[in-house]
Amino acid sequence: MRCGCRQHSHYVCVRVSVSVFGRVCLARSPNTPNYISRHAPRGTRTRLPVMPCGADSLSLGAARGHGGAQPPARRLPRVGARMPLPGGCCQTESGPRCGGLRQRRSRRTAGGPSRPSPSPRAWAPLDAPVGVWSPLAVVTLLSFASRFYRLSEPPHVCWDETHFGKMGSYYINRTFFFDVHPPLGKMLIGLAGYLSGYDGTFSFQKPGDKYENHNYLGMRGFCAFLGSCLVPFAYLTVLELSKSLSAALLAASILIFDTGCITLSQYILLDPILMFFLMGAVLSMVKYNSYAERPFSAPWWFWLNLTGVNLAGAMGVKFVGLFVVLLVGLNTVYDLWELLGDLSLSLVTLGKHLLARVFCLILLPLALYTAQFAVHFAVLNKSGPGDGFFSSAFQSRLIGNNLHNVSVPEHLAYGSVITMKNLRMAGGYLHSHGHLYPEGVGARQQQVTAYLHKDSNNLWIIKKHDSNTDLLDPSYSVEFVKHGDVIRLEHKETSRNLHSHQHEAPMTRKHFQVTGYGINGTGDANDFWRVEVVGRKAGKLIKVLRSQIRLTHLATGCILGSTGKTLPKWGWEQVEVTCTPYVKETPNALWNVEDHINPKLPNISLDVLKPSFPEILLESHMVMIRGNSGLKPKENEVTSKPWHWPINYQGLRFSGVNETDYRVYLLGNPVVWWLNLITIGLYLIMATCTIVAMKRGVELSTELKELSDVLLHSGGQIMLGWLLHYLPFFMMGRVLYFHHYFPAMLFSSMLTGITWDTLLKFCAWRLSFCSVGRRVYTYGTPVLMLLIVYSFYLFYPLSYGMVGPLASDPKSPMAGLKWLESWEF
């Protein structure tokens, strides 16, 4: 293939690799094998001349990835990349020059027509080994130093260590527990404790408990290690997106010197683990995008698979990991859409791209996520404090539970003595006792409640609605209860029937009251209930543990259920049971039979009724989702709203409340957080102006095109990540805390690095006609870094602990630093 040189047809184009693929011209004479060597000055080292072949080009700084800006990863390795020309390119003693920048300059020198020269860059690319890896080593060292400094202080339980440290102990002891988050984060904490010598015997009872001789540093150190990795991850992500060392250093500096990130990384919490996988997924996504011109190569497969692994990790720590899944999903959809528009690709190749992403970004994460739960259920095989949140069938698989290895009759029959458990989370057993409802609370009849513990008052006898015969008499044959039968439930201890009527329930006024009524099983028509099995047809038998049943009141049509509301002291603070006229398929209105006593029926081992792995996986997710949505703030607990977070309005007290306590306070570095907040607005303005200018057809120089590409494409990806990790919290009904914003804060910090670097480069380009231009870019980023470091110098005691007077005292080292009244340090 020939190059665009009209003077010498003997120049040919070949492909070479200089960080990225591009085309260059190699001089060849048809008459001599070394045209250049023969005419080069003696004593000089000669090489084949190199020149650009094509007008649409990038600078070497962009091509190498050090300094300057870069278009999106798909268009980065462009054919025709501009390369710097060595001295003597295409020169002979008398022949004309072959195109390129040096040729145009020589012609102007010789008196040719004058043309305005392009403005020189105010920033310069850096050499790869010095310009990239040395700063990476420095920021990584600073990150680890800041996170591991005073890691052992304070030597007592701080904030949510009481939860996640305790859960790590449960894994070491193999004791089953319940948490609203998936298991991976707690499993890793337990593994870190086990490997570091912690024996799982510390109780983690409440904040402030001394660790004494228990080894807690292994778990804290593991979280600090993962929190330290966030800085190099952010550095590499911004470097890959912007191809600018200064942008990467600014983003890394923000995270190194943010007091909030340091605090959140130094304790036994899920947040550093979640953010590690989140940033790992973002970095992997950006890296595999950069190999878009080399699809199905080894690096491309590596980063694509690593993206899937990190997605599984993020989902396995907290459900908010789904936000980064959505970010990667949108990136993938855009990527495939661009491939669809590439007519040079065959349908077979498009199919390969689609299958690669389905396997690596969908099937692989799901397989790893499911494997986490398989390990979780295999390790936690002993009965523990989480049993009551799960169904009776689930509990039967736990060693030490009263249902484990128990033999009971399989199918329900008339005359059986049973207990019934509500399927709502912590719903309790259907219960009654000899106490009556007080005056003014419906009918003054016997109370019926839901009780969370095993008790003889949970026992009920199932009888026919029109007969009071003792069906356990050997003279009567066994008759099984079937779906659709009308039954009567008699309380075994008091001989009163389960009853409802149109009196108001004690707490939920729109529901009907449920009572115990009658004497020795004799009552009225309001004692009749139709038993229905969810998903079964009429005539089907009812299985112990497995069948989900609904009791419909025959007279009023309401459904027996548990509201979850706690009764006052007259109800012994047990859970309210009502009959709801609103027919809904919710766990509140569903029950299962747990205990089953009938001497006339053969017993079977409950092992045969144990749920399968898919069933317990589904149940655990339903319980976690219900638990997450039902989280309420504890007494005197500091909660916050999403609009508080970006403005650093209010922090969280990790430890200590008075002058003698060792006080740690979770609060972001004010300069960092307010700079990030300003940057979001600045980015929107810059992006809007750039889009409008491009829409209006404004001619942009090569430098401005590069900057615009970085701003819109690279900055746009990060801005989308911030939106996806922040806006959903406005729609959540659960209780929210300040630490929920930190994943979004990672994106805003990277956006700050990209946005300010682009702005400073634009200012330097505009002022390139004077010496001020280069100074703007040279000193702009260091000034921002110094401001961040100075702010950290002022506020670092928030992370590393304070003892002595509070900030309101003039003698306090923090005096004068309480810039907002809502800060409580």
Side-chain angles (χ1 to χ4, degrees), residues 529-566:
W529 303 82
R530 177 181 290 109
V531 58
E532 299 169 340
V533 182
V534 176
R536 291 291 189 92
K537 296 179 180 178
K540 294 293 183 180
L541 301 183
I542 299 173
K543 276 190 175 183
V544 176
L545 298 185
R546 304 304 299 273
S547 294
Q548 298 181 2
I549 63 177
R550 180 173 52 238
L551 294 177
T552 303
H553 192 242
L554 206 61
T556 63
C558 62
I559 298 176
L560 184 73
S562 170
T563 63
K565 296 179 181 178
T566 303

Side-chain angles (χ1 to χ4, degrees), residues 23 186 377 465 555 626 693:
R23 289 188 300 179
K186 284 95 62 178
F377 295 133
H465 72 285
R626 291 200 299 266

